[in-house]
Amino acid sequence: MSQLANKIIIIGGSFNPVHLGHLKLLALACQQEKAAEILLLPAAVSPFKLNADFSFAAYRRCMLEAALNDVTDLTIPLACLTTAERRLIKKMKEDGKIKICDLDLQSLPPSYTINTLRKLQKQYPHAKLIMMGGSDLLPSLGEWHEPEKLAEIADFLLVTRPGYGQTDSAGGGEKKFNFKIKTLIADMPDVSSAALRRQLENLPLLPPYNITASTPAVYNGITLQQQPAYRDLSNYLTPATIAYIAQQRLYQQPDWRLYLSDTEQKLFGEILLYLGQHLNWQRYTHCLNVMNMAAALTLALEKSGYDFKTAKSWENLNLIALRQNLKNPFAAVNVNSSANDAVGAAKLSIFVRQALITGLFHDACKYEKLTDYPELAARLSKADLACTQMQHGPIAAYVLQQKFACRDELVLNALYYHTTLRPQATWLDKVVYIADKLEFGRRYSDVPLLRQSLNSGYDESIKKILRKCISINRNKRAFCHPLSQAALDDLQNNK
C-alpha cells in the first residue's frame, strides 16, 4: 500500500439501517495516516442482496445524514465511540474531509463496486483508493464483479468484527487476483443490520402503520425515549436515526417491488432513478411516503367494501369498517414477503398499483420549469399559468406520459390535479391529495387532527385540508387556484 499518495477511504454498504458499527468504522478511518477524504458510499441495490429486504435509497441516505449529525454533536451520548474519536470525526467533517457519496444511488442498479471505483479514480487521479469494511467481506472478495480489475484499482483495509476473527483467505481470491489487503484489529461493536431490521419490523415504539393515531410527539423527545424498546436500540443506533425510523415507519411497510409484475418493476426502477436525479433527498422521501400512504388509504377502502367502479360508492361506504382498517391497512399484506413476481402481483389489485405509481411520481417534477415544456404550457389555463407553485402537477402528468409511456388516464389526471384537486374528483385524485398532505413526514401541528378526521370519511378530511390551504393562501395574499375552491364547493354541495 503506497505511503506516498493521499488516501481516499471509501466505506460502502447498504446502511440499512446505519448503526454504531458503521460510525466506529468511520472513526477508525479518520485515524488513518494521509486520509485526505473519507467517502460514505450507500449502495443502490447490492448485487449480493437483490432478493433481500432493502429500504429505498432516499431513506437510507437520510438516515446516514442523521447519524452523522448525531455523532458530531458531543452533547449526545453514544455507545462504542470515545469523545476523542467523535472530536476527530467532527473536525474532519467541518474541514470537508467526510462526505456522503451518491454515485451508487444515482446509477442504475445493481451497484457494482468496480464501476463506482472507476468513477472515483477519474475524480481523484492522484490519490490512492482504499476500500474499508468489516473482515467478514474477505471470503467473498473473489466473487465481486471483475475482481482482477478491483484489485488493480483499490487496496483494502478490513477491520475485525466479533465472531469473525482474522481470516487470510478471500475465497481463494486474495492470491488469485492479487488483492492488497491490510487487516486492522479493533474493538468493534457486535451489531448486525439484519438483526436490527428484524427488531425494527416489530418495533413497539409506535403502533403498526396506524394512520389515524399518530402524533408528532411520539417521534421526538421524552415520548419516544420512554418506549420500552428505545434503551436497547440506543445501544446500536443514534437518537436521530431511531426518531427518523419511527417517524417514517421504516421496516413496518411492504416492499412494494415484491408485489409488482416484471413490467411494473421496470417502470418502478426507472421512476426511482428519475427521482434520485431530479429531487433532493428530503423531497424524494416525501414521494416515497406519499406512495406508502396512498397505497394504505386505497387498501383501507378496498377492505371496507368500497366499489371503485361506482360513482356513488362513497355514500355507501362502511365507516365503521373504514375506521378499523385505517388502524392497520397493511394487515393483509405480508410486510416481509419474499414472494415472487407472479404471486406478489396477484395480491395487489390494479387500484393499489395505480395508487403506488401516482403517489411515487406526484412530486417528481417539483423543481422543473414550465418553460422547458412549451407544448404543455400552450395547453394550460390562465389559472394554471398564474399558479406557478402548482405547475409541477401538470408537468408530472406530461412527463409520465411522454417519458414513461403511461396511458392510464386515471393516473395522469390524479397527477395533474394533485396540488389543487378538482370538482367531481375520482377516488385516486382524493387518495393522492390526502396522502400528499398527511403522509408521516409532515410535521405541522394540526396534521394528527387532520389524519383523525379520516375516521369520518375521506371527503370530510379533504374538506378540512382544502379549507386550511385556501385560508393559508388568502392570509399570505397568494394566488389561490380556483379549482381548489370549486372542489371544496363540490364536496360541500354533495354531503
Side-chain angles (χ1 to χ4, degrees):
M1 195 177 293
S2 172
Q3 297 298 316
L4 298 176
N6 284 333
K7 300 172 184 176
I8 304 299
I9 301 178
I10 305 145
I11 302 175
S14 62
F15 300 107
N16 187 31
V18 56
H19 53 65
L20 294 182
H22 298 125
L23 298 178
K24 185 69 174 181
L25 275 180
L26 175 60
L28 294 170
C30 291
Q31 297 169 34
Q32 299 305 300
E33 186 181 3
K34 292 186 179 296
E37 285 188 26
I38 300 167
L39 304 180
L40 297 166
L41 182 72
V45 177
S46 166
F48 294 102
K49 301 179 182 179
L50 288 177
N51 295 317
D53 169 69
F54 213 73
S55 289
F56 291 104
Y59 288 135
R60 294 182 287 109
R61 174 61 164 74
C62 290
M63 272 194 285
L64 185 54
E65 193 167 348
L68 272 180
N69 289 337
D70 271 356
V71 78
T72 55
D73 184 348
L74 302 182
T75 65
I76 298 173
L78 292 178
C80 311
L81 292 165
T82 67
T83 302
E85 287 174 328
R86 294 176 66 183
R87 282 178 177 153
L88 181 57
I89 293 173
K90 180 179 174 67
K91 176 68 165 59
M92 291 191 70
K93 185 171 182 287
E94 289 173 347
D95 291 345
K97 295 182 178 181
I98 296 174
K99 299 175 182 176
I100 299 176
C101 177
D102 296 330
L103 282 177
D104 274 5
L105 300 184
Q106 295 174 337
S107 303
L108 283 169
S111 53
Y112 291 115
T113 302
I114 185 62
N115 295 337
T116 304
L117 288 178
R118 285 179 175 134
K119 294 174 185 176
L120 290 174
Q121 194 176 41
K122 292 179 180 179
Q123 289 185 25
Y124 303 96
H126 304 298
K128 185 65 183 176
L129 301 181
I130 310 291
M131 290 293 299
M132 187 174 185
S135 60
D136 53 307
L137 294 177
L138 192 55
S140 67
L141 281 182
E143 302 172 12
W144 288 24
H145 192 61
E146 297 187 37
E148 68 285 351
K149 298 295 183 183
L150 198 64
E152 291 177 9
I153 292 178
D155 291 1
F156 285 79
L157 177 59
L158 301 182
V159 182
T160 56
R161 291 179 57 186
Y164 289 93
Q166 287 183 273
T167 308
D168 58 2
S169 172
E174 182 179 4
K175 294 180 180 178
K176 181 178 179 180
F177 301 111
N178 196 29
F179 282 111
K180 296 176 283 294
I181 299 172
K182 177 181 176 182
T183 302
L184 180 64
I185 302 173
D187 184 18
M188 295 293 292
D190 189 4
V191 54
S192 156
S193 290
L196 283 172
R197 285 196 301 274
R198 286 192 294 271
Q199 184 175 353
L200 289 162
E201 284 160 4
N202 301 300
L203 186 66
L205 289 171
L206 293 172
Y209 198 92
N210 186 336
I211 294 175
T212 57
S214 59
T215 59
V218 176
Y219 313 137
N220 306 290
I222 297 174
T223 308
L224 180 61
Q225 294 173 16
Q226 286 177 340
Q227 302 303 314
Y230 184 90
R231 182 175 298 178
D232 184 45
L233 287 169
S234 65
N235 290 322
Y236 309 107
L237 303 170
T238 75
T241 307
I242 298 174
Y244 185 81
I245 290 169
Q247 180 183 13
Q248 309 296 337
R249 299 303 204 280
L250 301 190
Y251 312 107
Q252 293 186 17
Q253 49 208 9
D255 184 344
W256 299 108
R257 290 166 290 191
L258 300 174
Y259 296 90
L260 301 176
S261 67
D262 290 342
T263 301
E264 289 167 332
Q265 282 200 29
K266 183 175 183 295
L267 173 61
F268 209 88
E270 291 171 350
I271 288 176
L272 290 173
L273 183 62
Y274 188 90
L275 297 182
Q277 293 172 339
H278 290 81
L279 301 178
N280 60 42
W281 296 111
Q282 288 71 30
R283 181 60 55 176
Y284 189 160
T285 59
H286 169 67
C287 289
L288 294 175
N289 288 345
V290 172
M291 174 194 70
N292 283 316
M293 183 162 280
L297 292 168
T298 305
L299 281 166
L301 282 179
E302 242 179 11
K303 290 157 63 179
S304 303
Y306 177 76
D307 184 353
F308 290 85
K309 297 179 181 179
T310 303
K312 295 185 178 180
S313 55
W314 294 98
E315 300 172 7
N316 303 319
L317 187 63
N318 186 334
L319 287 181
I320 296 176
L322 181 65
R323 290 178 194 128
Q324 188 62 34
N325 290 322
L326 285 170
K327 292 180 180 178
N328 191 3
F330 297 148
V333 183
N334 184 0
V335 173
N336 306 314
S337 172
S338 58
N340 60 41
D341 293 345
V343 174
K347 288 183 178 180
L348 288 185
S349 69
I350 180 62
F351 311 113
V352 177
R353 298 203 293 273
Q354 287 171 321
L356 287 171
I357 294 299
T358 311
L360 182 62
F361 203 74
H362 83 289
D363 267 3
C365 302
K366 181 73 174 179
Y367 306 119
E368 298 190 36
K369 297 179 180 179
L370 186 60
T371 51
D372 294 330
Y373 301 94
E375 183 182 344
L376 170 64
R379 303 203 304 257
L380 295 185
S381 68
K382 290 182 178 180
D384 290 334
L385 294 171
C387 200
T388 56
Q389 73 272 24
M390 294 183 175
Q391 289 171 355
H392 61 282
I395 294 173
Y398 183 83
V399 170
L400 192 67
Q401 183 181 49
Q402 299 296 319
K403 182 177 177 63
F404 297 95
C406 176
R407 299 295 179 262
D408 189 326
E409 289 298 322
L410 197 69
V411 168
L412 294 174
N413 282 325
L415 283 173
Y416 192 105
Y417 297 107
H418 87 265
T419 58
T420 61
L421 209 58
R422 58 173 171 165
Q424 300 299 309
T426 68
W427 69 267
L428 187 57
D429 293 349
K430 294 178 180 182
V431 159
V432 174
Y433 185 80
I434 294 169
D436 185 23
K437 300 299 188 291
L438 302 186
E439 56 93 351
F440 283 119
R442 298 293 196 186
R443 301 179 71 170
Y444 44 88
S445 59
D446 54 352
V447 68
L449 292 175
L450 290 171
R451 290 192 192 120
Q452 289 169 16
S453 69
L454 290 166
N455 285 322
S456 299
Y458 292 2
D459 283 2
E460 291 304 310
S461 183
I462 290 172
K463 283 188 279 189
K464 291 179 184 294
I465 296 169
L466 282 169
R467 290 188 193 109
K468 177 181 175 63
C469 292
I470 292 169
S471 174
I472 289 173
N473 281 328
R474 285 176 178 167
N475 289 337
K476 291 181 177 179
R477 296 185 179 179
F479 178 80
C480 184
H481 201 294
L483 276 177
S484 295
Q485 184 63 57
L488 177 58
D489 293 342
D490 179 61
L491 291 172
Q492 291 178 150
N493 293 332
N494 291 280
K495 295 181 179 179

